[in-house]
Amino acid sequence: MTNALETKQLVKKFGGVVAIDRFSVQIRKGEITGIIGPNGSGKTTFINVLTGISAMDGGRVVIGDQQEKGGIKAWEVFELGIARTFQNIRLFEQMSVQDNVLIAMTKRSPLAALFERHRDIHETLVKEVLTRVGLYDKRRALAKELSYGQRKLLEIARALATSADMILFDEPFAGLFPEMVRVVSDILKELRAGEKTVVLIEHDMAIIRELCDRIIVMDAGQLLAEGMPKQVLTNPAVIEAYLGV
Amino acid sequence: MEYLIHIAIFSAIFGILAISLDLIVGYTGMLSVAHAAFYGIGAYATTLLLKMLGLNFFFALPLAVVITMLVALLIGVVLSKFKTDYYALASLGFGVIVYVVFQNWLQVTRGPFGIPGIPRPDMFGFTFVENVAFLLLALVVLACVYALARFMVRSSFGRILTAIREDETAISVFGYRTTSYKLIIFTIAAGMAAIAGGLYASYITFIAPSAFSVNESIFILAIVILGGAGSLRGPLMGAVVLVLLPELLRFVGLPSDIAAQMRQLLYGVILVLLMLYRPQGLVGTYKL
Amino acid sequence: MSIVPQIIINSIIAGSLYALVAMGFSLIYSVTKFFNLAHGVLAAVGGYGVFFFGRMLGLPVMVAVALGILIATLVGWLLERCVFSPLRSRKSSALVLLVASLGAFTAIQALIALLFGSQFLTLAPILEGGSPFTVAGATITDVQIVLVGTALAAFVCVWLILKKTSFGKVVRATADDEEVAKIVGINTHKVIGKTFVIGSMLAGMAGILSGFDTGIEPIMGLPLLLKGVIAAIIGGMGSVPGALLGAYLLGFSENVGVWFIPGEWKDAISFSILILFLLLRPFGILGRK
C-alpha cells in the first residue's frame, strides 16, 4: 500500500502550548483512516495544519511523492488534491446552496474566473453531488436557511464537488439524525470504493469500527497508538486515555 | 430643467462611485473608507493631464484611470493584510493621507485654493459645453461601468468575491489565492472611482481637496448601504435618493450652511436606522 | 534659549489629551470588541455642554464643567443602550456596529453644528486664566497643567478600578471572553453599560479641557477620535496602560516631527505611524496575542 500522506515529526504550538508534538503518521491511499482521541488531543489542529489553516512549527508533511517542507499554504491544498470539511460548519452563509457547491468547481485563477460563466458541465456535477446528499431541491435556498443536518451535508457535498483525491472529514456525523448518518457513511464507503483516501475524525466508536480500515489515536498532541480498529480499540493505553482510568 | 439635469449628472457620478465601492464593500466584504481618495486622484490626474499636457479628455481620462489604479494597487497591497474593523481603520488612514497630500502638495494641487478653469471634454470638434450633452456622456459612462460591474459579479470571479466576503479562510482551502482576488477588485473599483473623478472635474471645471475628504467617503458608503450592498441596483438607487434628498432641503429654503448640516444629520441618522432595522438596505439582500 | 523644553512640554500636553480619549476608547473596545467611532463626538458634546451651561446660561465654571461631563456621559450611555446594545444582542457583525457608530458620529456632530453653528468658539471668557507659567524656559498655561493632571489622575483612577475593585474584575472577565463571563453569572450587559459611562466621561473631559485650552468647534471630535484610536492601537488595543503609553508616544512623535516636517503634514504622519504599527505590530506595544 502506498501512502497518500505522511507526516514526519510534525509540531504545532499555540503560544507556549504544544498542540501537536513530534507527530509522525502515514495515511494510506484508498483507505478510510480514523483519527480518534479525547477532546483537545489535537485532532482538529492536525487537520488544520494539513490544510494550511494553521502554520506548522516544525517537521514535514509528505503528500504523495511531493516533498513539502516548512508548511502548507491554504490555497495550495486544492492543488495537492486535498479537500476538507469543518467541525464548526463553515459555509458561505449568504450564498445559495448551488453557489456553495460551484465554488468547489470553478476556475482558480482570477483571469480565467472572470471569463467563466457556470455552464452545463457544472450543472451536471452540481446536480450529482446535491442529489447525493438530498439537497438538490434546496439548491436556490441560502445556506443559512438550511437546518443543522442539511448544513453538515452541504459541507460534505462541497468537499465532494472538488473531486479531490483525499478528503478530510472533521466530525461529519456529529448531531446528525440516523438516516443522515446512513447517507454520510455510504458516501465515505463510495469514496473508498472509488480509490479515494478518507480521513475521518470521529468520537462514535461504532461508526469508527464499521468504517475505518486503520485508526490513529491521538493524546495530548502525540501519537498514542495506530493500527487496525480491533487491535487499537482493545489496547489498554487507548482505553485508559479515553476513560481516564 | 437645467437644475434637474445638474442633479441627474451628480446622480450619475455618484452612481459610478457607489457601484464601484459596492464591489469592494458589498461583494467582497472589505469596509473601505478610502474611496474618495481614488475619486480625488482620478480628478486631479485628469485635470493635470488636461491642463498641463493639454491632452484631449478622452485620452486624459484613461491615463488618469491607469495612474489611479497604480496607486490603488500599492495601497491595496498594504490593506490586504487587514480584516474587518482594522481594514476600515487602515483605509480611513489612507483616505486622510491622500487628502493631506491634496491639501499640501501646493506645486501640483495648489492646495486649498483648488484648480479652476478645467476644460469640458471635447470629441472630434464637439465640446460637451451644454449640460444636456454632458449628461448623455455621464450616462453612457455610467452604463459602461454598470455593464462591466455586472459582467464581473455574474462570472465565477464574482461568486468567488462573495465567498471571500462570507468566509475567506474557508474559500482559500478550496484553492483560491484570496489576496490576488481582493487586490484585483480593489484596483478595478479604484479605476472606476477615477472615472467618476475625471467626469466631476471636467463637469464642475474646478476642483479642490474638500470634494475628496473623508466625509465624501462616508457619503459614498452611505449610498451603498442605503441602496443595498451586494447588489448593483441598490447603489444606483441609493445614489439617486441621497443626491436628491438634500436638494429637497434646499427647496424648503434653508440657508446653505444649515442645509449642509441637515444633510450630514440625515446621512448619520439613516446609517444608524439602517443598521438597526434594515441592514440589507432598500433593495439589497446581503445583510452586512 | 533651547527649544527642547518647549517641545517636551507640548508633547506632554498633546499626549495627555490623546490619553483621555484613548483610555476610554480602549476600555470600551476591550469589553465590546468593536471600534466605537462615536466616542470622539462625545468630546464635542462635553465641550459644547460647558459652552451652553457656562456661557449661554452663565452658570459657575465648576457647575458648567460638571454638567458638560454629565451630558457627554449621558449621550455615550444612551448610544450604548439604544443602538449598540440592541445590535450586539442581535449578534450583528463588527461591520454593522462600526457603520452604526459612524452614523451616530456624523449625526451628533451635525446636530451640534445646527444648534450652535459650525464656527470656532472659545470657552476662555468663562475661565479667567492666570498668566502662563514658565518651566525651564518653556511656557505652560494653568489649563494645560490641569489637563496633564486630569489625564494622569484619570489613568490612576481607571487603573485602580480595574485592578482593585470587584467591578474591575468583572470588566476584565468580560473583556477576556464575554460568553464565559455570562456563563459564570456576570451581567455583561450592565458591565458594558458602566464601561461606556466611564469611557464617555473621559471623552467628555477631553473635549472640555481641549475647549478651555484652544476652543471648540463641531468637528473637533474627529481629530481627537483619530488620535485616540491611533494611540490606543500603538499602545495595544484594550490595554489602559497601553493607551496612556501610546498617547504620549504619539504626542512626542508629532511634536518632534513638526520640527522636521511642516505642521500641515501632522495628520499624514500620525496615520503613517498607525499603518506601520498595524503592519508590523498589530497588537501594539503592551497588547497581547
Side-chain angles (χ1 to χ4, degrees):
Chain A
M1 273 269 188
T2 49
N3 289 333
L5 186 147
E6 183 182 0
T7 65
K8 293 177 176 170
Q9 300 286 311
L10 199 66
V11 176
K12 172 69 200 170
K13 296 175 193 160
F14 290 109
V17 184
V18 183
I20 294 183
D21 192 3
R22 291 158 293 160
F23 191 64
S24 302
V25 289
Q26 288 107 38
I27 287 160
R28 291 182 191 158
K29 207 169 255 175
E31 284 192 352
I32 298 180
T33 305
I35 301 183
I36 62 172
N39 284 326
S41 57
K43 304 183 297 287
T44 296
T45 306
F46 176 54
I47 287 201
N48 282 347
V49 168
L50 290 185
T51 52
I53 306 268
S54 306
M56 59 178 89
D57 295 312
R60 283 185 303 169
V61 177
V62 186
I63 294 165
D65 40 44
Q66 270 178 288
Q67 285 278 351
E68 283 292 328
K69 278 187 191 172
I72 300 171
K73 294 259 187 291
W75 52 265
E76 294 173 329
V77 169
F78 171 76
E79 284 167 32
L80 296 169
I82 301 175
R84 69 168 290 178
T85 69
F86 294 89
Q87 182 190 358
N88 53 343
I89 311 184
R90 296 181 77 158
L91 291 169
F92 308 117
E93 301 288 348
Q94 298 196 47
M95 291 171 71
S96 71
V97 167
Q98 171 168 287
D99 277 346
N100 266 274
V101 177
L102 279 169
I103 283 292
M105 305 192 280
T106 48
K107 297 260 192 337
R108 263 61 181 176
S109 102
L111 196 64
L114 198 52
F115 292 97
E116 184 188 46
R117 298 275 178 285
H118 79 268
R119 300 223 167 74
D120 301 346
I121 155 175
H122 294 129
E123 293 281 352
T124 327
L125 192 51
V126 166
K127 189 169 182 183
E128 191 186 312
V129 290
L130 283 182
T131 310
R132 188 69 196 82
V133 296
L135 285 175
Y136 188 62
D137 294 338
K138 295 253 177 199
R139 65 187 180 281
R140 306 215 186 281
L142 295 184
K144 64 173 180 179
E145 294 161 0
L146 300 180
S147 73
Y148 176 81
Q150 289 172 327
R151 288 155 56 74
K152 275 212 107 117
L153 290 173
L154 179 55
E155 262 223 348
I156 292 168
R158 189 176 64 177
L160 290 180
T162 58
S163 312
D165 294 326
M166 177 167 163
I167 304 185
L168 317 175
F169 292 92
D170 197 349
E171 301 200 20
F173 297 101
L176 290 190
F177 290 119
E179 59 269 31
M180 285 178 171
V181 169
R182 175 86 32 77
V183 172
V184 177
S185 69
D186 285 349
I187 287 174
L188 298 195
K189 286 176 190 163
E190 281 165 27
L191 284 170
R192 172 171 55 191
E195 304 277 294
K196 305 273 189 184
T197 310
V198 172
V199 174
L200 172 66
I201 294 182
E202 185 50 50
H203 280 295
D204 187 329
M205 287 309 140
I207 292 174
I208 289 282
R209 255 190 219 104
E210 184 200 334
L211 289 175
C212 295
D213 303 301
R214 281 178 75 252
I215 301 183
I216 291 168
V217 188
M218 290 185 81
D219 187 30
Q222 290 179 324
L223 179 64
L224 187 66
E226 61 177 324
M228 308 269 283
K230 270 182 199 159
Q231 302 158 351
V232 170
L233 293 177
T234 51
N235 181 336
V238 173
I239 294 168
E240 188 188 337
Y242 252 88
L243 302 177
V245 182
Chain B
M1 190 61 204
E2 193 67 359
Y3 182 62
L4 283 180
I5 292 170
H6 170 75
I7 290 175
I9 292 174
F10 258 80
S11 299
I13 290 174
F14 279 94
I16 297 172
L17 287 169
I19 286 176
S20 56
L21 182 63
D22 190 26
L23 293 172
I24 302 174
V25 176
Y27 282 93
T28 324
M30 309 182 284
L31 189 70
S32 167
V33 204
H35 217 52
F38 304 118
Y39 175 43
I41 295 172
Y44 274 101
T46 310
T47 302
L48 294 173
L49 291 168
L50 286 173
K51 290 202 62 160
M52 286 166 68
L53 298 186
L55 285 184
N56 181 290
F57 179 81
F58 295 95
F59 288 113
L61 187 62
L63 260 176
V65 169
V66 171
I67 292 168
T68 308
M69 285 172 82
L70 286 176
V71 177
L73 189 65
L74 292 178
I75 292 179
V77 168
V78 178
L79 283 181
S80 65
K81 310 258 186 245
F82 306 124
K83 292 215 163 77
T84 58
D85 27 9
Y86 283 88
Y87 185 97
L89 193 63
S91 72
L92 179 73
F94 279 115
V96 171
I97 291 173
V98 171
Y99 177 72
V100 171
V101 172
F102 290 153
Q103 283 275 11
N104 297 306
W105 196 10
L106 299 179
Q107 300 90 323
V108 174
T109 65
R110 291 174 31 97
F113 303 109
I115 306 177
I118 303 163
R120 284 283 178 95
D122 67 285
M123 184 192 253
F124 308 122
F126 176 78
T127 312
F128 293 77
V129 185
E130 294 294 324
N131 281 356
V132 185
F134 197 92
L135 174 61
L136 277 177
L137 174 68
L139 287 177
V140 169
V141 174
L142 172 65
C144 293
V145 168
Y146 185 89
L148 176 61
R150 192 180 145 100
F151 174 79
M152 289 193 292
V153 302
R154 295 238 164 157
S155 68
S156 295
F157 184 84
R159 187 183 304 107
I160 294 156
L161 293 183
T162 315
I164 291 173
R165 175 190 84 195
E166 293 296 313
D167 191 335
E168 189 175 344
T169 311
I171 191 187
S172 59
V173 176
F174 287 89
Y176 296 95
R177 300 191 195 202
T178 53
T179 310
S180 354
Y181 278 87
K182 292 194 296 187
L183 257 183
I184 289 170
I185 197 64
F186 187 79
T187 310
I188 292 177
M192 290 173 166
I195 296 178
L199 283 177
Y200 171 84
S202 77
Y203 171 61
I204 301 291
T205 69
F206 168 78
I207 53 170
S210 60
F212 314 109
S213 67
V214 171
N215 272 340
E216 213 60 18
S217 288
I218 294 173
F219 177 54
I220 306 169
L221 188 66
I223 292 178
V224 173
I225 291 173
L226 171 72
S231 74
L232 289 180
R233 278 180 312 138
L236 266 188
M237 209 158 138
V240 176
V241 172
L242 279 192
V243 170
L244 209 58
L245 214 54
E247 299 299 331
L248 296 179
L249 290 176
R250 195 172 298 171
F251 268 115
V252 181
L254 294 172
S256 69
D257 179 44
I258 296 192
Q261 296 303 339
M262 288 291 282
R263 262 175 57 178
Q264 292 294 324
L265 181 63
L266 202 69
Y267 300 154
V269 171
I270 284 176
L271 282 182
V272 174
L273 290 181
L274 281 173
M275 289 303 102
L276 278 171
Y277 303 110
R278 207 175 158 79
Q280 72 270 44
L282 293 177
V283 298
T285 50
Y286 163 49
K287 290 188 180 160
L288 221 57
Chain C
M1 203 172 87
S2 164
I3 196 173
V4 175
Q6 190 66 54
I7 286 181
I8 293 175
I9 293 279
N10 287 353
S11 306
I12 292 175
I13 294 166
S16 301
L17 185 60
Y18 302 159
L20 280 173
V21 182
M23 285 189 287
F25 183 81
S26 192
L27 195 61
I28 290 173
Y29 178 87
S30 74
V31 287
T32 57
K33 303 288 182 288
F34 89 99
F35 286 171
N36 176 22
L37 300 184
H39 191 68
V41 84
L42 299 177
V45 171
Y48 275 89
V50 172
F51 177 79
F52 177 75
F53 293 113
R55 268 190 73 179
M56 292 172 79
L57 299 186
L59 296 176
V61 183
M62 278 309 141
V63 178
V65 168
L67 288 173
I69 294 175
L70 185 71
I71 201 159
T73 310
L74 197 67
V75 172
W77 182 78
L78 279 176
L79 280 177
E80 151 65 8
R81 267 303 116 93
C82 305
V83 181
F84 304 136
S85 173
L87 287 176
R88 269 202 316 277
S89 61
R90 223 172 290 171
K91 300 250 176 287
S92 300
S93 64
L95 285 192
V96 168
L97 283 155
L98 196 69
V99 172
S101 72
L102 189 66
F105 183 101
T106 315
I108 295 174
Q109 176 176 296
L111 193 63
I112 292 174
L114 281 172
L115 292 174
F116 299 96
S118 49
Q119 70 276 33
F120 189 83
L121 297 168
T122 162
L123 289 179
I126 306 176
L127 194 69
E128 281 301 325
S131 54
F133 301 90
T134 308
V135 186
T139 50
I140 181 167
T141 66
D142 41 7
V143 169
Q144 290 168 337
I145 292 173
V146 174
L147 170 58
V148 175
T150 308
L152 295 176
F155 167 70
V156 173
C157 287
V158 172
W159 194 78
L160 284 178
I161 289 174
L162 283 180
K163 291 287 168 196
K164 301 286 174 194
T165 68
S166 58
F167 171 69
K169 217 182 242 171
V170 293
V171 167
R172 280 181 290 144
T174 310
D176 271 348
D177 193 327
E178 197 190 336
E179 292 307 313
V180 173
K182 268 185 196 155
I183 291 166
V184 300
I186 295 172
N187 183 345
T188 55
H189 179 66
K190 255 190 182 159
V191 174
I192 293 174
K194 286 182 186 166
T195 312
F196 264 87
V197 167
I198 297 176
S200 309
M201 216 185 261
L202 295 176
M205 287 182 199
I208 293 168
L209 288 165
S210 144
F212 278 123
D213 186 24
T214 51
I216 51 174
E217 51 184 333
I219 56 163
M220 67 190 278
L222 186 64
L224 276 179
L225 170 77
L226 295 179
K227 299 302 160 60
V229 176
I230 295 172
I233 287 180
I234 293 179
M237 209 58 204
S239 150
V240 172
L244 189 80
L245 184 66
Y248 285 112
L249 271 179
L250 184 64
F252 269 96
S253 54
E254 273 184 358
N255 282 284
V256 174
V258 180
W259 216 357
F260 304 103
I261 306 166
E264 309 88 79
W265 296 91
K266 220 170 171 180
D267 285 344
I269 297 172
S270 337
F271 271 104
S272 309
I273 294 175
L274 169 73
I275 290 168
L276 275 179
F277 255 90
L278 285 177
L279 279 177
L280 304 175
R281 206 175 158 83
F283 38 85
I285 298 170
L286 295 183
R288 285 178 298 168
K289 201 162 61 173

